[in-house]
Amino acid sequence: MTRRIIVQKYGGSSVANPERIQRVAQRVVETKRRGREVVVVVSALGDTTDELIDLAYQVTHQPSERELDMLLATGEQMSVALLAMAIHTMGEDAVSFTGAQVGILTDGTHTKARLVDINAKRIVEELAKSRIVIVAGFQGVNLNQDITTLGRGGSDLTAVALAEALKAEVCEIFTDVEGVYTADPRLVPQARKLDTISYDEMLEMASLGAQVMQARSIFVAKRFEVPIHVRSSFSLREGTMITKTVKAMEDIVVSGVTLQKDEAKVTVRDVPDKPGMAAQIFGELATNGVNVDMIVQNVSREGATDLSFTVVKGDLPVTLRITRRVASRIGAGEVTTDEGVAKLSIVGIGMRSHSGVAARMFEAMARERINIEMISTSEIKISCVIRRQHADRAVRVIHHAFGLGRRARRR
Ligand code: ADP
Ligand code: ASP
Ligand code: MG
């Protein structure tokens, strides 16, 4: 008999209170009774992870990352136990596990650990006993047996990785919206649910701010071609399938609009216009683990040039420290920061084969008098840095300009 394993992941809002936990339990039990072996990955209840982080910062300005992981992992441990109990009341056998217990091995990078291996032996044994297996999302263990976490939104990664390890027929991601939309439905009420989206587009959208899936989880899903179904835990409707290829892909120029508000811009003035300057600045930032996003260098005048780049806001203190040090060493001028920016992006595979997409985006911004401060493009995306105060409006404007709304056809 072929085994039919399903991995279901329920996000924090899906298990925010006891009633919701019971609803999730019901859904899990129904899946089992339809003849599937079910592995469930759960996030911490509601906003627990944020609350735990707040707590840590009330105790200290600089919590140890190892201890942060120890603390944050407790959130998911609560939800797995509660879900198992709720399933027991429905007459099914369920057993809950931490990441460590089911062999989710990571490297030692606390708070954003990378998966090294999953030894699914214990899960397979429990499934064979006809039990529902519930695994704490977002956490693993390193070679020293220290608890690690996989970065924010990391339960998605746990689910995708388990689906791959168990060769599950599908990885269902249950969340508080009905699927992946053409833009964040909270920001753009007209946003339309996509029936399907390719891994490549979802990876870009997730990396560029679409919170609905963690970017790293899509990276893994793409590599191993894990089929993902993003859907609502509050309805039975079909959601969005994330797969390798999508019908009529080339006809879809733009699939979605995304926004990142946690960006900050750094400018180094009067950088000497000679070889090796950028290498020194960005080399040192990279050595210190700072991920630089967009870079713009102005045309040089009188032997000096201004250099601007963006980083995520959280990295701003370390970025400033390093950049000021390098600037003074290479004889550059002042280093300034600007936290009032946001990055707006459009993503679509059809950009590979259609021209005029950037022009259309810029024209729409111009009509609304929204100034573009930086631009970067890749094969399937265009990003613009703009003032944060215009960001929400800009998303709606661009969404409309590409005809992505509910009644309009995607162009
Ligand atoms: P969970 O707790 O279930 O993991 P998240 O809060 O991480 O849920 O992700 C779901 C949220 O992602 C939605 O509530 C929605 O506001 C946001 N979101 C942002 N962009 C998109 C998009 N393009 N499509 C769907 N949801 C999006
Ligand atoms: N609870 C973790 C977070 O809030 C992991 C997750 O929800 O995916 O980031
Ligand atoms: Mg999430």
Side-chain angles (χ1 to χ4, degrees):
M1 194 187 77
T2 54
R3 310 185 51 183
R4 304 187 71 184
I5 299 178
I6 283 196
V7 173
Q8 298 189 326
K9 176 256 172 176
Y10 293 88
S13 50
S14 308
V15 290
N17 57 45
E19 294 71 42
R20 289 190 182 179
I21 292 173
Q22 280 159 341
R23 267 175 51 189
V24 166
Q26 193 70 49
R27 194 145 189 172
V28 170
V29 166
E30 280 160 15
T31 310
K32 168 99 197 307
R33 291 183 181 160
R34 281 204 311 271
R36 302 295 195 279
E37 295 183 71
V38 194
V39 175
V40 189
V41 173
V42 213
S43 294
L45 272 62
D47 297 325
T48 305
T49 308
D50 289 329
E51 288 160 14
L52 291 172
I53 293 173
D54 271 4
L55 255 180
Y57 279 92
Q58 284 176 43
V59 172
T60 165
H61 291 306
Q62 266 191 322
S64 134
E65 293 196 323
R66 180 192 182 279
E67 303 309 328
L68 256 186
D69 277 355
M70 193 66 142
L71 177 69
L72 297 193
T74 62
E76 271 68 15
Q77 206 172 323
M78 279 171 64
S79 29
V80 287
L82 290 167
L83 181 59
M85 292 173 197
I87 292 175
H88 295 161
T89 67
M90 295 164 190
E92 287 290 339
D93 202 356
V95 56
S96 70
F97 293 108
T98 63
Q101 281 179 295
V102 291
I104 299 182
L105 185 68
T106 72
D107 69 5
T109 327
H110 284 291
T111 76
K112 38 182 178 295
R114 301 179 70 84
L115 289 177
V116 173
D117 188 33
I118 295 188
N119 173 2
K121 185 165 163 278
R122 182 74 192 267
I123 299 182
V124 173
E125 283 169 10
E126 298 295 338
L127 289 175
K129 293 179 198 155
S130 203
R131 290 185 170 146
I132 292 166
V133 175
I134 306 170
V135 179
F138 173 57
Q139 56 175 265
V141 66
N142 67 18
L143 277 174
N144 296 329
Q145 301 299 311
D146 285 331
I147 291 175
T148 53
T149 63
L150 308 175
R152 295 307 303 267
S155 299
D156 296 336
L157 179 57
T158 306
V160 169
L162 283 176
E164 159 58 16
L166 297 161
K167 302 288 174 229
E169 60 185 23
V170 64
C171 177
E172 292 184 306
I173 302 287
F174 288 90
T175 184
D176 58 358
V177 287
E178 294 211 343
V180 179
Y181 284 68
T182 48
D184 185 343
R186 287 178 212 259
L187 210 60
V188 185
Q190 293 78 20
R192 209 166 46 80
K193 190 190 81 189
L194 301 167
D195 293 333
T196 50
I197 186 168
S198 65
Y199 293 124
D200 286 329
E201 288 171 303
M202 190 66 239
L203 185 55
E204 286 284 7
M205 280 182 67
S207 313
L208 295 168
Q211 196 197 328
V212 62
M213 287 298 301
Q214 189 214 30
R216 283 173 56 198
S217 72
I218 303 300
F219 188 78
V220 172
K222 178 184 165 178
R223 177 150 169 221
F224 297 103
E225 294 187 22
V226 180
I228 300 180
H229 185 181
V230 182
R231 58 194 308 187
S232 167
S233 54
F234 306 104
S235 95
L236 293 174
R237 273 193 283 276
E238 296 281 304
T240 303
M241 284 304 304
I242 310 177
T243 54
K244 193 171 167 195
T245 45
V246 168
K247 265 197 301 229
M249 218 154 56
E250 295 286 325
D251 295 339
I252 301 161
V253 179
V254 173
S255 290
V257 185
T258 64
L259 184 62
Q260 252 167 336
K261 287 184 171 172
D262 63 344
E263 296 259 315
K265 185 164 94 175
V266 177
T267 301
V268 189
R269 306 229 176 263
D270 300 322
V271 179
D273 196 9
K274 55 184 189 200
M277 299 296 104
Q280 292 203 47
I281 297 173
F282 297 116
E284 205 139 327
L285 287 169
T287 317
N288 286 278
V290 175
N291 236 328
V292 172
D293 189 11
M294 287 194 200
I295 303 175
V296 169
Q297 181 173 316
N298 289 336
V299 180
S300 124
R301 16 161 192 82
E302 290 157 21
T305 176
D306 292 348
L307 188 69
S308 293
F309 57 91
T310 61
V311 293
V312 293
K313 262 194 195 167
D315 282 344
L316 197 53
V318 46
T319 304
L320 259 184
R321 213 170 45 243
I322 294 166
T323 312
R324 289 205 164 117
R325 190 172 66 216
V326 181
S328 96
R329 193 173 68 217
I330 63 178
E334 192 191 9
V335 179
T336 57
T337 61
D338 179 353
E339 294 190 55
V341 294
K343 182 167 79 172
L344 175 113
S345 311
I346 56 175
V347 173
I349 275 186
M351 282 185 211
R352 285 181 184 149
S353 49
H354 290 75
S355 55
V357 183
R360 189 145 147 203
M361 181 181 193
F362 303 155
E363 279 158 20
M365 303 270 236
R367 271 197 305 277
E368 289 290 317
R369 309 215 137 277
I370 297 169
N371 189 40
I372 301 170
E373 300 181 20
M374 293 167 118
I375 299 168
S376 80
T377 64
S378 79
E379 211 186 4
I380 64 165
K381 70 120 205 247
I382 302 170
S383 300
C384 297
V385 167
I386 57 175
R387 288 287 101 203
R388 181 160 325 119
Q389 79 221 48
H390 302 314
D392 292 359
R393 182 167 58 96
V395 171
R396 290 189 279 269
V397 163
I398 297 301
H399 191 265
H400 183 73
F402 284 93
L404 297 175
R406 220 174 269 155
R407 269 175 295 277
R409 243 174 47 84
R410 281 200 289 172
R411 280 175 283 172

